[in-house]
Amino acid sequence: MSPTTTPVEDPVVAEAQEYANKLLLLSEGSVNKHFDPYEDIDWENPDFDANAKPERWILPASADPLGRHPWYLALSDERKIAIGKYRQANVAKVGLQFESILISGMVNHTFSLPNGDAEFRYCTHEMSEELNHTLMFQEMVNRIGADVPGMGPLVRQLRFLGVPIAVLFPNLFFMAVLAGEEPIDHIQKDILRSGEEVHPIMRGVMSIHVAEEARHISFAHEFLKQHVPEGNVANRFVLSIAMPIVMFILGRSIATPPKKFFREFDIPEQVRKELFYGSKEAKQVFSDYFIDVRALATEIGLMNPISKRVWKLFGIGGAASRYRSEPIRSGKVA
């Protein structure tokens, strides 16, 4: 009589189950710790009035390149406050517009998921949170009172691509999600970690957004870890080239204020270039937004000799983090 053998578990099935378990944890996190912008932000508190102690809108020098630029520092406090209010309102508007694109794509991604797929529940939780974020960002813009455009007019047309890309090329879509989420997350964390006094409207909005965005970024990472390796060699190669291009295009649209901002406040062209394109510091800051994404690209096999050159070509190559959200000091991973 032959000995009884324990069947070896199918590694593909085991991997799929592990992925589902991770999504369940993220979903439970959304249930156990979530926010409502009209319950968790004290909008009617007199201290939350956008004009209360307005000096708190002066851009923090330790967290905002414009805030420490000699041109900005030489301005009157009144002018600094006006620029700070406009800049923070526009960042909120950009976040609102990006998340609207994300929601439309994710709705269509979930539409055809099979029954029992763990992605459906998690994505639905995330969309609920993102809808609250759009309410929160628009409320912040309304209370500041600046008529900001958000994204530039050309970049806004990307909203028409969100749905077809999410349906036809979901891996590319969730790369685009990271391209928008990572810069916003880095910018907001830098401000919150700066220790400088910022207006409570901004602090309240950013604190909620950073807390929930951690789950959203985790999901995008896990989605790509699960699904990119499923593609064939040619598919993975195309994604390896597309990844830095998507990061650059969307990252720039998120991090760079629209031309209207510079015209509105007569900011010299040379200052604009130094802040967002030309200086060594500006290039390093932008590259650092993607330190976790470069680690992800390496982990899922999308960092090859050719793609490394593309990352470098677009000025966003460099070191990868050892773990997600590893603090960056002096332009290098600590």
Side-chain angles (χ1 to χ4, degrees):
M1 184 175 180
S2 61
T4 303
T5 57
T6 303
V8 177
E9 187 174 14
D10 185 337
V12 175
V13 173
E15 186 177 342
Q17 186 59 53
E18 183 181 0
Y19 176 58
N21 290 340
K22 289 177 180 177
L23 298 197
L24 179 59
L25 284 175
L26 290 174
S27 294
E28 290 177 343
S30 292
V31 172
N32 296 328
K33 188 65 176 177
H34 59 273
F35 301 90
D36 185 301
Y38 291 102
E39 290 183 354
D40 297 301
I41 297 179
D42 190 7
W43 297 105
E44 303 310 322
N45 186 316
D47 196 39
F48 273 61
D49 187 295
N51 296 315
K53 296 175 67 175
E55 65 276 7
R56 295 178 294 186
W57 290 110
I58 293 176
L59 298 172
S62 62
D64 192 301
L66 177 55
R68 57 181 172 267
H69 194 280
W71 178 86
Y72 182 78
L73 293 172
L75 299 173
S76 66
D77 281 358
E78 182 181 5
R79 196 66 171 162
K80 288 178 186 174
I81 290 165
I83 291 173
K85 289 171 78 172
Y86 189 105
R87 176 150 167 73
Q88 300 301 353
N90 199 73
V91 169
K93 189 71 174 183
V94 168
L96 181 163
Q97 292 166 337
F98 173 77
E99 293 189 340
S100 296
I101 297 171
L102 183 157
I103 293 165
S104 65
M106 199 172 276
V107 165
N108 283 273
H109 171 71
T110 59
F111 187 85
S112 299
L113 289 177
N115 295 327
D117 195 312
E119 284 180 11
F120 180 88
R121 178 182 171 185
Y122 174 75
C123 287
T124 305
H125 282 305
E126 179 169 332
M127 287 186 285
S128 299
E129 291 166 356
E130 299 289 25
L131 281 168
N132 272 334
H133 294 175
T134 63
L135 283 169
M136 179 173 70
F137 285 142
Q138 188 63 60
E139 189 69 27
M140 175 177 167
V141 172
N142 294 346
R143 286 175 182 263
I144 291 173
D147 186 21
V148 293
M151 296 178 178
L154 291 178
V155 179
R156 269 182 275 171
Q157 304 312 307
L158 293 174
R159 70 185 186 275
F160 298 114
L161 298 177
V163 171
I165 290 176
V167 172
L168 300 173
F169 309 106
N171 286 330
L172 188 63
F173 174 76
F174 282 102
M175 283 182 182
V177 167
L178 283 178
E181 288 179 333
E182 293 280 9
I184 294 175
D185 190 60
H186 275 75
I187 291 167
Q188 293 183 339
K189 281 180 179 175
D190 284 347
I191 291 173
L192 292 173
R193 289 169 174 167
S194 70
E196 298 190 45
E197 186 177 19
V198 298
H199 200 281
I201 288 179
M202 191 165 71
R203 182 169 295 279
V205 166
M206 287 185 176
S207 296
I208 289 176
H209 191 251
V210 165
E212 294 191 326
E213 209 65 13
R215 284 193 294 268
H216 305 172
I217 292 173
S218 290
F219 170 68
H221 277 252
E222 293 300 332
F223 181 95
L224 293 172
K225 287 178 190 178
Q226 177 67 22
H227 294 296
V228 167
E230 296 171 350
N232 57 37
V233 173
N235 179 272
R236 293 197 302 273
F237 178 75
V238 171
L239 287 174
S240 75
I241 303 302
M243 193 172 200
I245 297 173
V246 169
M247 296 302 147
F248 178 83
I249 293 173
L250 285 181
R252 278 293 180 206
S253 72
I254 294 293
T256 308
K259 289 183 179 179
K260 182 182 177 183
F261 171 69
F262 297 97
R263 289 196 303 266
E264 184 111 356
F265 296 101
D266 297 319
I267 300 175
E269 178 66 14
Q270 184 58 37
V271 173
R272 183 181 76 88
K273 288 181 178 179
E274 286 177 14
L275 286 171
F276 299 102
Y277 298 101
S279 72
K280 183 177 179 181
E281 180 193 8
K283 292 176 181 177
Q284 186 64 57
V285 167
F286 186 66
S287 177
D288 286 344
Y289 292 155
F290 304 106
I291 192 167
D292 289 342
V293 180
R294 291 194 294 269
L296 173 65
T298 301
E299 182 178 354
I300 60 179
L302 298 186
M303 193 66 80
N304 54 59
I306 296 177
S307 66
K308 281 183 181 179
R309 292 185 180 183
V310 180
W311 283 92
K312 186 176 181 181
L313 175 67
F314 283 95
I316 52 176
S321 59
R322 293 170 298 179
Y323 54 87
R324 251 182 21 105
S325 297
E326 181 178 8
I328 299 169
R329 299 180 180 91
S330 302
K332 296 180 181 179
V333 179

